[in-house]
Amino acid sequence: DGGITQSPKYLFRKEGQNVTLSCEQNLNHDAMYWYRQDPGQGLRLIYYSQIVNDFQKGDIAEGYSVSREKKESFPLTVTSAQKNPTAFYLCATKRRGLSYGYTFGSGTRLTVV
Amino acid sequence: GESVGLHLPTLSVQEGDNSIINCAYSNSASDYFIWYKQESGKGPQFIIDIRSNMDKRQGQRVTVLLNKTVKHLSLQIAATQPGDSAVYFCAENGRANAGGTSYGKLTFGQGTILTVHP
């Protein structure tokens, strides 16, 4: 996982609950990203942050919230406003510069029960 | 651009064959391209990258070809093995994605499911 820890690996949420997915990195990368992946589909950007205390909405931010209080941490909260949260969630980091790609975590699988 | 609600195309090959996975990108200003491999239940892993000033780059059993004229990227896997079975994503990063920053934001292709039969 290249220094990115996502936890938990599996998470179950009841209807109406908020849940928080953790993403911690020790790569000293400035930028961090959250993606959602539905079965058999591609990656969709939820939120990203390029510096501490700043973050931007991605393409599907509704029903999600984030914070970036520390460089190492970028937690994602899936709120009750997200009507279809069952998916695989991936956190990624990136170092400064356009000629670098992402390093991904191992993912969290969220299921609504 | 990014895949939204589309099911992925598939490619089936026999073990030992060569595989070619294609990707069309949309941003003519992109100057860096990457291929990722994602195994079931895991995060994507870096395979190979290429900058826009190149048209070919080789790694171990993999080759990436870039055709900027038609905005096309391909990944060739030689002597494909069952362990190569996975989803393969291309991604692009360019100044048009940077939003004024020096980070950029990758734009992912749709992805292709590769299945290798013994």
Side-chain angles (χ1 to χ4, degrees), chain A residues 30 33 37 40-41 43-45 50 59 94 96-102 105, chain B residues 2-3 5-6 8 32 34 36 38 43 51 93 95 101-106 108:
Chain A
D30 289 301
Y33 306 80
Q37 186 175 34
Q41 297 185 21
L43 303 173
R44 293 189 285 170
L45 181 64
Q50 294 179 335
D59 300 313
K94 186 180 181 301
R96 183 187 293 267
L98 296 179
S99 294
Y100 297 103
Y102 294 165
Chain B
E2 294 190 45
S3 170
L6 299 175
L8 304 180
Y32 178 66
I34 312 161
Y36 287 94
Q38 186 180 23
R51 290 180 171 76
N93 193 18
R95 300 193 181 279
T101 75
S102 57
Y103 293 97
K105 177 165 56 72
L106 294 186
F108 286 90

PDB file of all heavy atoms in Angstrom, chain A residues 30 33 37 40-41 43-45 50 59 94 96-102 105, chain B residues 2-3 5-6 8 32 34 36 38 43 51 93 95 101-106 108:
ATOM      1  N   ASP A  30       1.581  15.819  -0.233  1.00  0.00           N
ATOM      2  CA  ASP A  30       0.710  16.931   0.109  1.00  0.00           C
ATOM      3  C   ASP A  30      -0.760  16.664  -0.244  1.00  0.00           C
ATOM      4  O   ASP A  30      -1.656  17.048   0.495  1.00  0.00           O
ATOM      5  CB  ASP A  30       1.165  18.202  -0.634  1.00  0.00           C
ATOM      6  CG  ASP A  30       2.470  18.734  -0.085  1.00  0.00           C
ATOM      7  OD1 ASP A  30       2.514  19.052   1.112  1.00  0.00           O
ATOM      8  OD2 ASP A  30       3.439  18.817  -0.851  1.00  0.00           O
ATOM      9  N   TYR A  33      -6.796  12.217  -1.907  1.00  0.00           N
ATOM     10  CA  TYR A  33      -8.001  12.097  -2.726  1.00  0.00           C
ATOM     11  C   TYR A  33      -8.870  10.958  -2.193  1.00  0.00           C
ATOM     12  O   TYR A  33      -8.358   9.954  -1.703  1.00  0.00           O
ATOM     13  CB  TYR A  33      -7.634  11.773  -4.181  1.00  0.00           C
ATOM     14  CG  TYR A  33      -6.659  12.743  -4.803  1.00  0.00           C
ATOM     15  CD1 TYR A  33      -5.299  12.648  -4.547  1.00  0.00           C
ATOM     16  CD2 TYR A  33      -7.090  13.743  -5.659  1.00  0.00           C
ATOM     17  CE1 TYR A  33      -4.397  13.530  -5.107  1.00  0.00           C
ATOM     18  CE2 TYR A  33      -6.195  14.632  -6.238  1.00  0.00           C
ATOM     19  CZ  TYR A  33      -4.843  14.518  -5.956  1.00  0.00           C
ATOM     20  OH  TYR A  33      -3.963  15.406  -6.520  1.00  0.00           O
ATOM     21  N   GLN A  37     -15.816   3.514  -5.927  1.00  0.00           N
ATOM     22  CA  GLN A  37     -15.856   2.546  -7.018  1.00  0.00           C
ATOM     23  C   GLN A  37     -17.021   1.593  -6.789  1.00  0.00           C
ATOM     24  O   GLN A  37     -17.078   0.915  -5.764  1.00  0.00           O
ATOM     25  CB  GLN A  37     -14.537   1.772  -7.102  1.00  0.00           C
ATOM     26  CG  GLN A  37     -14.457   0.859  -8.308  1.00  0.00           C
ATOM     27  CD  GLN A  37     -13.097   0.192  -8.430  1.00  0.00           C
ATOM     28  OE1 GLN A  37     -12.458  -0.126  -7.432  1.00  0.00           O
ATOM     29  NE2 GLN A  37     -12.633  -0.003  -9.654  1.00  0.00           N
ATOM     30  N   GLY A  40     -17.709  -3.464 -10.756  1.00  0.00           N
ATOM     31  CA  GLY A  40     -17.555  -3.538 -12.201  1.00  0.00           C
ATOM     32  C   GLY A  40     -17.472  -2.197 -12.898  1.00  0.00           C
ATOM     33  O   GLY A  40     -17.618  -2.127 -14.120  1.00  0.00           O
ATOM     34  N   GLN A  41     -17.213  -1.139 -12.127  1.00  0.00           N
ATOM     35  CA  GLN A  41     -17.182   0.191 -12.720  1.00  0.00           C
ATOM     36  C   GLN A  41     -15.868   0.902 -12.424  1.00  0.00           C
ATOM     37  O   GLN A  41     -14.998   0.402 -11.723  1.00  0.00           O
ATOM     38  CB  GLN A  41     -18.380   1.005 -12.226  1.00  0.00           C
ATOM     39  CG  GLN A  41     -19.714   0.397 -12.650  1.00  0.00           C
ATOM     40  CD  GLN A  41     -20.895   1.249 -12.272  1.00  0.00           C
ATOM     41  OE1 GLN A  41     -20.757   2.447 -12.044  1.00  0.00           O
ATOM     42  NE2 GLN A  41     -22.064   0.642 -12.219  1.00  0.00           N
ATOM     43  N   LEU A  43     -13.567   4.612 -11.447  1.00  0.00           N
ATOM     44  CA  LEU A  43     -13.345   5.418 -10.256  1.00  0.00           C
ATOM     45  C   LEU A  43     -14.012   6.785 -10.405  1.00  0.00           C
ATOM     46  O   LEU A  43     -13.867   7.434 -11.434  1.00  0.00           O
ATOM     47  CB  LEU A  43     -11.838   5.624 -10.044  1.00  0.00           C
ATOM     48  CG  LEU A  43     -11.009   4.346  -9.916  1.00  0.00           C
ATOM     49  CD1 LEU A  43      -9.527   4.676  -9.885  1.00  0.00           C
ATOM     50  CD2 LEU A  43     -11.400   3.591  -8.657  1.00  0.00           C
ATOM     51  N   ARG A  44     -14.703   7.207  -9.357  1.00  0.00           N
ATOM     52  CA  ARG A  44     -15.332   8.525  -9.368  1.00  0.00           C
ATOM     53  C   ARG A  44     -14.821   9.326  -8.181  1.00  0.00           C
ATOM     54  O   ARG A  44     -14.820   8.860  -7.049  1.00  0.00           O
ATOM     55  CB  ARG A  44     -16.858   8.397  -9.329  1.00  0.00           C
ATOM     56  CG  ARG A  44     -17.445   7.781 -10.598  1.00  0.00           C
ATOM     57  CD  ARG A  44     -18.951   7.864 -10.608  1.00  0.00           C
ATOM     58  NE  ARG A  44     -19.568   6.899  -9.713  1.00  0.00           N
ATOM     59  CZ  ARG A  44     -20.852   6.900  -9.398  1.00  0.00           C
ATOM     60  NH1 ARG A  44     -21.647   7.846  -9.845  1.00  0.00           N
ATOM     61  NH2 ARG A  44     -21.332   5.972  -8.598  1.00  0.00           N
ATOM     62  N   LEU A  45     -14.435  10.569  -8.444  1.00  0.00           N
ATOM     63  CA  LEU A  45     -13.800  11.420  -7.435  1.00  0.00           C
ATOM     64  C   LEU A  45     -14.840  12.037  -6.520  1.00  0.00           C
ATOM     65  O   LEU A  45     -15.785  12.683  -6.975  1.00  0.00           O
ATOM     66  CB  LEU A  45     -12.980  12.516  -8.125  1.00  0.00           C
ATOM     67  CG  LEU A  45     -12.236  13.475  -7.221  1.00  0.00           C
ATOM     68  CD1 LEU A  45     -11.159  12.750  -6.408  1.00  0.00           C
ATOM     69  CD2 LEU A  45     -11.608  14.588  -8.050  1.00  0.00           C
ATOM     70  N   GLN A  50      -5.335  19.419  -1.432  1.00  0.00           N
ATOM     71  CA  GLN A  50      -3.952  19.599  -1.875  1.00  0.00           C
ATOM     72  C   GLN A  50      -3.084  20.261  -0.810  1.00  0.00           C
ATOM     73  O   GLN A  50      -1.876  20.391  -0.989  1.00  0.00           O
ATOM     74  CB  GLN A  50      -3.928  20.378  -3.183  1.00  0.00           C
ATOM     75  CG  GLN A  50      -4.570  19.578  -4.322  1.00  0.00           C
ATOM     76  CD  GLN A  50      -4.606  20.316  -5.639  1.00  0.00           C
ATOM     77  OE1 GLN A  50      -4.597  21.533  -5.672  1.00  0.00           O
ATOM     78  NE2 GLN A  50      -4.653  19.573  -6.741  1.00  0.00           N
ATOM     79  N   ASP A  59     -16.495  15.094  -8.259  1.00  0.00           N
ATOM     80  CA  ASP A  59     -17.661  14.970  -9.134  1.00  0.00           C
ATOM     81  C   ASP A  59     -18.911  14.470  -8.423  1.00  0.00           C
ATOM     82  O   ASP A  59     -20.028  14.682  -8.901  1.00  0.00           O
ATOM     83  CB  ASP A  59     -17.323  14.025 -10.291  1.00  0.00           C
ATOM     84  CG  ASP A  59     -16.161  14.534 -11.106  1.00  0.00           C
ATOM     85  OD1 ASP A  59     -16.157  15.730 -11.448  1.00  0.00           O
ATOM     86  OD2 ASP A  59     -15.232  13.738 -11.374  1.00  0.00           O
ATOM     87  N   LYS A  94      -0.721  11.982  -3.511  1.00  0.00           N
ATOM     88  CA  LYS A  94       0.095  12.390  -4.652  1.00  0.00           C
ATOM     89  C   LYS A  94       1.107  13.416  -4.192  1.00  0.00           C
ATOM     90  O   LYS A  94       0.797  14.315  -3.420  1.00  0.00           O
ATOM     91  CB  LYS A  94      -0.804  12.975  -5.739  1.00  0.00           C
ATOM     92  CG  LYS A  94      -0.080  13.312  -7.037  1.00  0.00           C
ATOM     93  CD  LYS A  94      -1.037  13.883  -8.053  1.00  0.00           C
ATOM     94  CE  LYS A  94      -0.340  14.210  -9.353  1.00  0.00           C
ATOM     95  NZ  LYS A  94       0.753  15.186  -9.154  1.00  0.00           N
ATOM     96  N   ARG A  96       3.785  16.570  -4.996  1.00  0.00           N
ATOM     97  CA  ARG A  96       3.731  17.775  -5.830  1.00  0.00           C
ATOM     98  C   ARG A  96       4.390  17.517  -7.177  1.00  0.00           C
ATOM     99  O   ARG A  96       5.421  16.864  -7.261  1.00  0.00           O
ATOM    100  CB  ARG A  96       4.452  18.921  -5.127  1.00  0.00           C
ATOM    101  CG  ARG A  96       4.397  20.255  -5.873  1.00  0.00           C
ATOM    102  CD  ARG A  96       5.293  21.283  -5.183  1.00  0.00           C
ATOM    103  NE  ARG A  96       4.786  21.641  -3.869  1.00  0.00           N
ATOM    104  CZ  ARG A  96       3.988  22.678  -3.648  1.00  0.00           C
ATOM    105  NH1 ARG A  96       3.600  23.430  -4.657  1.00  0.00           N
ATOM    106  NH2 ARG A  96       3.579  22.953  -2.432  1.00  0.00           N
ATOM    107  N   GLY A  97       3.764  18.048  -8.223  1.00  0.00           N
ATOM    108  CA  GLY A  97       4.324  17.908  -9.560  1.00  0.00           C
ATOM    109  C   GLY A  97       3.369  17.182 -10.482  1.00  0.00           C
ATOM    110  O   GLY A  97       2.655  16.268 -10.053  1.00  0.00           O
ATOM    111  N   LEU A  98       3.357  17.588 -11.740  1.00  0.00           N
ATOM    112  CA  LEU A  98       2.416  17.006 -12.685  1.00  0.00           C
ATOM    113  C   LEU A  98       2.877  15.664 -13.232  1.00  0.00           C
ATOM    114  O   LEU A  98       2.108  14.946 -13.850  1.00  0.00           O
ATOM    115  CB  LEU A  98       2.164  17.986 -13.837  1.00  0.00           C
ATOM    116  CG  LEU A  98       1.491  19.303 -13.438  1.00  0.00           C
ATOM    117  CD1 LEU A  98       1.322  20.198 -14.647  1.00  0.00           C
ATOM    118  CD2 LEU A  98       0.155  19.042 -12.772  1.00  0.00           C
ATOM    119  N   SER A  99       4.136  15.323 -13.007  1.00  0.00           N
ATOM    120  CA  SER A  99       4.652  14.073 -13.561  1.00  0.00           C
ATOM    121  C   SER A  99       4.711  12.968 -12.530  1.00  0.00           C
ATOM    122  O   SER A  99       5.628  12.161 -12.501  1.00  0.00           O
ATOM    123  CB  SER A  99       6.033  14.307 -14.177  1.00  0.00           C
ATOM    124  OG  SER A  99       5.933  15.156 -15.300  1.00  0.00           O
ATOM    125  N   TYR A 100       3.717  12.953 -11.682  1.00  0.00           N
ATOM    126  CA  TYR A 100       3.612  11.884 -10.702  1.00  0.00           C
ATOM    127  C   TYR A 100       2.172  11.393 -10.672  1.00  0.00           C
ATOM    128  O   TYR A 100       1.234  12.146 -10.870  1.00  0.00           O
ATOM    129  CB  TYR A 100       4.010  12.369  -9.300  1.00  0.00           C
ATOM    130  CG  TYR A 100       5.439  12.812  -9.215  1.00  0.00           C
ATOM    131  CD1 TYR A 100       5.770  14.163  -9.209  1.00  0.00           C
ATOM    132  CD2 TYR A 100       6.468  11.877  -9.147  1.00  0.00           C
ATOM    133  CE1 TYR A 100       7.082  14.575  -9.139  1.00  0.00           C
ATOM    134  CE2 TYR A 100       7.792  12.290  -9.076  1.00  0.00           C
ATOM    135  CZ  TYR A 100       8.085  13.634  -9.075  1.00  0.00           C
ATOM    136  OH  TYR A 100       9.386  14.033  -9.008  1.00  0.00           O
ATOM    137  N   GLY A 101       2.046  10.109 -10.376  1.00  0.00           N
ATOM    138  CA  GLY A 101       0.708   9.551 -10.264  1.00  0.00           C
ATOM    139  C   GLY A 101       0.291   9.424  -8.816  1.00  0.00           C
ATOM    140  O   GLY A 101       0.910   9.967  -7.919  1.00  0.00           O
ATOM    141  N   TYR A 102      -0.784   8.714  -8.630  1.00  0.00           N
ATOM    142  CA  TYR A 102      -1.293   8.474  -7.289  1.00  0.00           C
ATOM    143  C   TYR A 102      -0.691   7.203  -6.703  1.00  0.00           C
ATOM    144  O   TYR A 102      -0.375   6.264  -7.421  1.00  0.00           O
ATOM    145  CB  TYR A 102      -2.806   8.245  -7.303  1.00  0.00           C
ATOM    146  CG  TYR A 102      -3.677   9.400  -7.694  1.00  0.00           C
ATOM    147  CD1 TYR A 102      -5.009   9.167  -8.016  1.00  0.00           C
ATOM    148  CD2 TYR A 102      -3.214  10.701  -7.747  1.00  0.00           C
ATOM    149  CE1 TYR A 102      -5.859  10.193  -8.377  1.00  0.00           C
ATOM    150  CE2 TYR A 102      -4.053  11.744  -8.110  1.00  0.00           C
ATOM    151  CZ  TYR A 102      -5.369  11.478  -8.421  1.00  0.00           C
ATOM    152  OH  TYR A 102      -6.209  12.500  -8.782  1.00  0.00           O
ATOM    153  N   GLY A 105      -4.460   3.494  -1.401  1.00  0.00           N
ATOM    154  CA  GLY A 105      -4.614   2.600  -0.272  1.00  0.00           C
ATOM    155  C   GLY A 105      -5.291   1.322  -0.710  1.00  0.00           C
ATOM    156  O   GLY A 105      -5.619   1.135  -1.885  1.00  0.00           O
TER     157      GLY A 105
ATOM    158  N   GLU B   2     -13.681  10.597 -16.890  1.00  0.00           N
ATOM    159  CA  GLU B   2     -13.912   9.582 -15.867  1.00  0.00           C
ATOM    160  C   GLU B   2     -15.125   8.751 -16.200  1.00  0.00           C
ATOM    161  O   GLU B   2     -16.086   9.221 -16.799  1.00  0.00           O
ATOM    162  CB  GLU B   2     -14.090  10.250 -14.522  1.00  0.00           C
ATOM    163  CG  GLU B   2     -12.831  10.929 -14.045  1.00  0.00           C
ATOM    164  CD  GLU B   2     -12.966  11.357 -12.609  1.00  0.00           C
ATOM    165  OE1 GLU B   2     -13.447  10.565 -11.804  1.00  0.00           O
ATOM    166  OE2 GLU B   2     -12.599  12.501 -12.318  1.00  0.00           O
ATOM    167  N   SER B   3     -15.055   7.512 -15.783  1.00  0.00           N
ATOM    168  CA  SER B   3     -16.164   6.595 -16.015  1.00  0.00           C
ATOM    169  C   SER B   3     -17.266   6.909 -15.019  1.00  0.00           C
ATOM    170  O   SER B   3     -17.022   7.018 -13.838  1.00  0.00           O
ATOM    171  CB  SER B   3     -15.668   5.168 -15.833  1.00  0.00           C
ATOM    172  OG  SER B   3     -16.754   4.274 -15.832  1.00  0.00           O
ATOM    173  N   GLY B   5     -20.871   5.359 -14.055  1.00  0.00           N
ATOM    174  CA  GLY B   5     -22.002   4.456 -14.203  1.00  0.00           C
ATOM    175  C   GLY B   5     -21.918   3.557 -15.408  1.00  0.00           C
ATOM    176  O   GLY B   5     -22.918   3.002 -15.815  1.00  0.00           O
ATOM    177  N   LEU B   6     -20.737   3.371 -16.001  1.00  0.00           N
ATOM    178  CA  LEU B   6     -20.609   2.500 -17.162  1.00  0.00           C
ATOM    179  C   LEU B   6     -19.950   1.202 -16.739  1.00  0.00           C
ATOM    180  O   LEU B   6     -19.009   1.206 -15.968  1.00  0.00           O
ATOM    181  CB  LEU B   6     -19.764   3.181 -18.233  1.00  0.00           C
ATOM    182  CG  LEU B   6     -20.295   4.489 -18.799  1.00  0.00           C
ATOM    183  CD1 LEU B   6     -19.286   5.104 -19.748  1.00  0.00           C
ATOM    184  CD2 LEU B   6     -21.623   4.268 -19.500  1.00  0.00           C
ATOM    185  N   LEU B   8     -17.566  -2.018 -17.318  1.00  0.00           N
ATOM    186  CA  LEU B   8     -16.277  -2.046 -17.970  1.00  0.00           C
ATOM    187  C   LEU B   8     -16.240  -3.026 -19.121  1.00  0.00           C
ATOM    188  O   LEU B   8     -16.816  -4.115 -19.050  1.00  0.00           O
ATOM    189  CB  LEU B   8     -15.206  -2.422 -16.946  1.00  0.00           C
ATOM    190  CG  LEU B   8     -15.134  -1.535 -15.704  1.00  0.00           C
ATOM    191  CD1 LEU B   8     -14.032  -2.012 -14.780  1.00  0.00           C
ATOM    192  CD2 LEU B   8     -14.922  -0.086 -16.083  1.00  0.00           C
ATOM    193  N   TYR B  32       1.260  13.595 -19.045  1.00  0.00           N
ATOM    194  CA  TYR B  32       1.756  12.463 -18.268  1.00  0.00           C
ATOM    195  C   TYR B  32       0.649  11.427 -18.196  1.00  0.00           C
ATOM    196  O   TYR B  32      -0.502  11.767 -17.911  1.00  0.00           O
ATOM    197  CB  TYR B  32       2.161  12.943 -16.876  1.00  0.00           C
ATOM    198  CG  TYR B  32       2.652  11.859 -15.946  1.00  0.00           C
ATOM    199  CD1 TYR B  32       3.832  11.171 -16.192  1.00  0.00           C
ATOM    200  CD2 TYR B  32       1.932  11.535 -14.802  1.00  0.00           C
ATOM    201  CE1 TYR B  32       4.280  10.194 -15.333  1.00  0.00           C
ATOM    202  CE2 TYR B  32       2.372  10.551 -13.935  1.00  0.00           C
ATOM    203  CZ  TYR B  32       3.549   9.890 -14.203  1.00  0.00           C
ATOM    204  OH  TYR B  32       3.995   8.917 -13.359  1.00  0.00           O
ATOM    205  N   ILE B  34      -0.465   7.213 -17.103  1.00  0.00           N
ATOM    206  CA  ILE B  34      -0.131   6.092 -16.227  1.00  0.00           C
ATOM    207  C   ILE B  34      -1.089   4.944 -16.493  1.00  0.00           C
ATOM    208  O   ILE B  34      -2.263   5.164 -16.803  1.00  0.00           O
ATOM    209  CB  ILE B  34      -0.287   6.496 -14.742  1.00  0.00           C
ATOM    210  CG1 ILE B  34       0.384   7.819 -14.445  1.00  0.00           C
ATOM    211  CG2 ILE B  34       0.263   5.405 -13.808  1.00  0.00           C
ATOM    212  CD1 ILE B  34      -0.121   8.440 -13.171  1.00  0.00           C
ATOM    213  N   TYR B  36      -2.608   1.618 -14.418  1.00  0.00           N
ATOM    214  CA  TYR B  36      -2.757   0.955 -13.126  1.00  0.00           C
ATOM    215  C   TYR B  36      -3.388  -0.416 -13.317  1.00  0.00           C
ATOM    216  O   TYR B  36      -4.202  -0.616 -14.219  1.00  0.00           O
ATOM    217  CB  TYR B  36      -3.679   1.765 -12.200  1.00  0.00           C
ATOM    218  CG  TYR B  36      -3.082   3.024 -11.646  1.00  0.00           C
ATOM    219  CD1 TYR B  36      -3.281   4.252 -12.287  1.00  0.00           C
ATOM    220  CD2 TYR B  36      -2.338   3.007 -10.470  1.00  0.00           C
ATOM    221  CE1 TYR B  36      -2.751   5.415 -11.766  1.00  0.00           C
ATOM    222  CE2 TYR B  36      -1.799   4.167  -9.946  1.00  0.00           C
ATOM    223  CZ  TYR B  36      -2.013   5.372 -10.604  1.00  0.00           C
ATOM    224  OH  TYR B  36      -1.475   6.517 -10.079  1.00  0.00           O
ATOM    225  N   GLN B  38      -5.638  -3.218 -11.091  1.00  0.00           N
ATOM    226  CA  GLN B  38      -6.407  -3.392  -9.860  1.00  0.00           C
ATOM    227  C   GLN B  38      -6.933  -4.816  -9.774  1.00  0.00           C
ATOM    228  O   GLN B  38      -7.769  -5.228 -10.577  1.00  0.00           O
ATOM    229  CB  GLN B  38      -7.581  -2.405  -9.795  1.00  0.00           C
ATOM    230  CG  GLN B  38      -8.315  -2.475  -8.462  1.00  0.00           C
ATOM    231  CD  GLN B  38      -9.482  -1.515  -8.383  1.00  0.00           C
ATOM    232  OE1 GLN B  38     -10.030  -1.083  -9.382  1.00  0.00           O
ATOM    233  NE2 GLN B  38      -9.874  -1.167  -7.159  1.00  0.00           N
ATOM    234  N   GLY B  43      -6.617  -2.020  -3.892  1.00  0.00           N
ATOM    235  CA  GLY B  43      -6.429  -0.723  -4.519  1.00  0.00           C
ATOM    236  C   GLY B  43      -5.602  -0.848  -5.791  1.00  0.00           C
ATOM    237  O   GLY B  43      -4.843  -1.792  -5.959  1.00  0.00           O
ATOM    238  N   ARG B  51       5.670   9.934 -20.380  1.00  0.00           N
ATOM    239  CA  ARG B  51       5.486  11.371 -20.550  1.00  0.00           C
ATOM    240  C   ARG B  51       5.179  11.675 -22.005  1.00  0.00           C
ATOM    241  O   ARG B  51       5.491  10.890 -22.903  1.00  0.00           O
ATOM    242  CB  ARG B  51       6.720  12.125 -20.069  1.00  0.00           C
ATOM    243  CG  ARG B  51       6.885  12.073 -18.565  1.00  0.00           C
ATOM    244  CD  ARG B  51       8.114  12.834 -18.074  1.00  0.00           C
ATOM    245  NE  ARG B  51       8.144  12.954 -16.631  1.00  0.00           N
ATOM    246  CZ  ARG B  51       8.460  11.979 -15.790  1.00  0.00           C
ATOM    247  NH1 ARG B  51       8.767  10.791 -16.248  1.00  0.00           N
ATOM    248  NH2 ARG B  51       8.455  12.196 -14.495  1.00  0.00           N
ATOM    249  N   ASN B  93      -2.681  13.105 -16.636  1.00  0.00           N
ATOM    250  CA  ASN B  93      -2.499  14.262 -15.771  1.00  0.00           C
ATOM    251  C   ASN B  93      -1.917  15.381 -16.613  1.00  0.00           C
ATOM    252  O   ASN B  93      -0.944  15.179 -17.320  1.00  0.00           O
ATOM    253  CB  ASN B  93      -1.541  13.937 -14.624  1.00  0.00           C
ATOM    254  CG  ASN B  93      -1.567  14.997 -13.543  1.00  0.00           C
ATOM    255  OD1 ASN B  93      -2.495  15.790 -13.472  1.00  0.00           O
ATOM    256  ND2 ASN B  93      -0.566  15.003 -12.702  1.00  0.00           N
ATOM    257  N   ARG B  95      -1.754  19.938 -17.396  1.00  0.00           N
ATOM    258  CA  ARG B  95      -1.886  21.285 -16.862  1.00  0.00           C
ATOM    259  C   ARG B  95      -3.331  21.749 -16.848  1.00  0.00           C
ATOM    260  O   ARG B  95      -3.717  22.560 -16.016  1.00  0.00           O
ATOM    261  CB  ARG B  95      -1.015  22.241 -17.655  1.00  0.00           C
ATOM    262  CG  ARG B  95       0.437  21.841 -17.578  1.00  0.00           C
ATOM    263  CD  ARG B  95       1.393  22.881 -18.055  1.00  0.00           C
ATOM    264  NE  ARG B  95       2.744  22.358 -17.955  1.00  0.00           N
ATOM    265  CZ  ARG B  95       3.438  22.330 -16.826  1.00  0.00           C
ATOM    266  NH1 ARG B  95       2.916  22.811 -15.721  1.00  0.00           N
ATOM    267  NH2 ARG B  95       4.648  21.827 -16.811  1.00  0.00           N
ATOM    268  N   THR B 101      -2.685  24.817  -9.742  1.00  0.00           N
ATOM    269  CA  THR B 101      -1.754  24.295  -8.746  1.00  0.00           C
ATOM    270  C   THR B 101      -0.687  23.461  -9.441  1.00  0.00           C
ATOM    271  O   THR B 101      -0.758  23.201 -10.636  1.00  0.00           O
ATOM    272  CB  THR B 101      -2.476  23.400  -7.732  1.00  0.00           C
ATOM    273  OG1 THR B 101      -2.777  22.145  -8.354  1.00  0.00           O
ATOM    274  CG2 THR B 101      -3.762  24.051  -7.257  1.00  0.00           C
ATOM    275  N   SER B 102       0.270  23.018  -8.678  1.00  0.00           N
ATOM    276  CA  SER B 102       1.325  22.195  -9.250  1.00  0.00           C
ATOM    277  C   SER B 102       1.109  20.718  -8.987  1.00  0.00           C
ATOM    278  O   SER B 102       2.011  19.909  -9.097  1.00  0.00           O
ATOM    279  CB  SER B 102       2.675  22.623  -8.681  1.00  0.00           C
ATOM    280  OG  SER B 102       2.644  22.534  -7.273  1.00  0.00           O
ATOM    281  N   TYR B 103      -0.113  20.346  -8.632  1.00  0.00           N
ATOM    282  CA  TYR B 103      -0.385  18.947  -8.320  1.00  0.00           C
ATOM    283  C   TYR B 103      -1.052  18.216  -9.457  1.00  0.00           C
ATOM    284  O   TYR B 103      -0.724  17.101  -9.783  1.00  0.00           O
ATOM    285  CB  TYR B 103      -1.270  18.848  -7.075  1.00  0.00           C
ATOM    286  CG  TYR B 103      -0.574  19.308  -5.834  1.00  0.00           C
ATOM    287  CD1 TYR B 103      -0.751  20.593  -5.350  1.00  0.00           C
ATOM    288  CD2 TYR B 103       0.285  18.458  -5.158  1.00  0.00           C
ATOM    289  CE1 TYR B 103      -0.097  21.011  -4.213  1.00  0.00           C
ATOM    290  CE2 TYR B 103       0.936  18.872  -4.015  1.00  0.00           C
ATOM    291  CZ  TYR B 103       0.740  20.152  -3.556  1.00  0.00           C
ATOM    292  OH  TYR B 103       1.383  20.574  -2.427  1.00  0.00           O
ATOM    293  N   GLY B 104      -2.032  18.838 -10.046  1.00  0.00           N
ATOM    294  CA  GLY B 104      -2.825  18.120 -11.030  1.00  0.00           C
ATOM    295  C   GLY B 104      -3.782  17.178 -10.342  1.00  0.00           C
ATOM    296  O   GLY B 104      -3.785  17.005  -9.136  1.00  0.00           O
ATOM    297  N   LYS B 105      -4.634  16.604 -11.156  1.00  0.00           N
ATOM    298  CA  LYS B 105      -5.627  15.653 -10.661  1.00  0.00           C
ATOM    299  C   LYS B 105      -5.835  14.660 -11.773  1.00  0.00           C
ATOM    300  O   LYS B 105      -6.178  15.019 -12.889  1.00  0.00           O
ATOM    301  CB  LYS B 105      -6.920  16.402 -10.306  1.00  0.00           C
ATOM    302  CG  LYS B 105      -8.050  15.525  -9.862  1.00  0.00           C
ATOM    303  CD  LYS B 105      -9.146  16.358  -9.186  1.00  0.00           C
ATOM    304  CE  LYS B 105      -9.674  17.487 -10.058  1.00  0.00           C
ATOM    305  NZ  LYS B 105     -10.507  16.992 -11.164  1.00  0.00           N
ATOM    306  N   LEU B 106      -5.576  13.401 -11.484  1.00  0.00           N
ATOM    307  CA  LEU B 106      -5.659  12.398 -12.527  1.00  0.00           C
ATOM    308  C   LEU B 106      -7.082  12.255 -13.044  1.00  0.00           C
ATOM    309  O   LEU B 106      -8.036  12.291 -12.279  1.00  0.00           O
ATOM    310  CB  LEU B 106      -5.182  11.047 -12.001  1.00  0.00           C
ATOM    311  CG  LEU B 106      -3.714  10.919 -11.628  1.00  0.00           C
ATOM    312  CD1 LEU B 106      -3.397   9.479 -11.261  1.00  0.00           C
ATOM    313  CD2 LEU B 106      -2.815  11.387 -12.750  1.00  0.00           C
ATOM    314  N   PHE B 108      -9.230   9.419 -14.927  1.00  0.00           N
ATOM    315  CA  PHE B 108      -9.133   7.987 -15.196  1.00  0.00           C
ATOM    316  C   PHE B 108      -9.961   7.591 -16.401  1.00  0.00           C
ATOM    317  O   PHE B 108     -11.051   8.119 -16.633  1.00  0.00           O
ATOM    318  CB  PHE B 108      -9.604   7.186 -13.980  1.00  0.00           C
ATOM    319  CG  PHE B 108      -8.616   7.196 -12.856  1.00  0.00           C
ATOM    320  CD1 PHE B 108      -8.671   8.173 -11.886  1.00  0.00           C
ATOM    321  CD2 PHE B 108      -7.610   6.247 -12.784  1.00  0.00           C
ATOM    322  CE1 PHE B 108      -7.741   8.216 -10.855  1.00  0.00           C
ATOM    323  CE2 PHE B 108      -6.681   6.273 -11.762  1.00  0.00           C
ATOM    324  CZ  PHE B 108      -6.748   7.263 -10.803  1.00  0.00           C
TER     325      PHE B 108
END
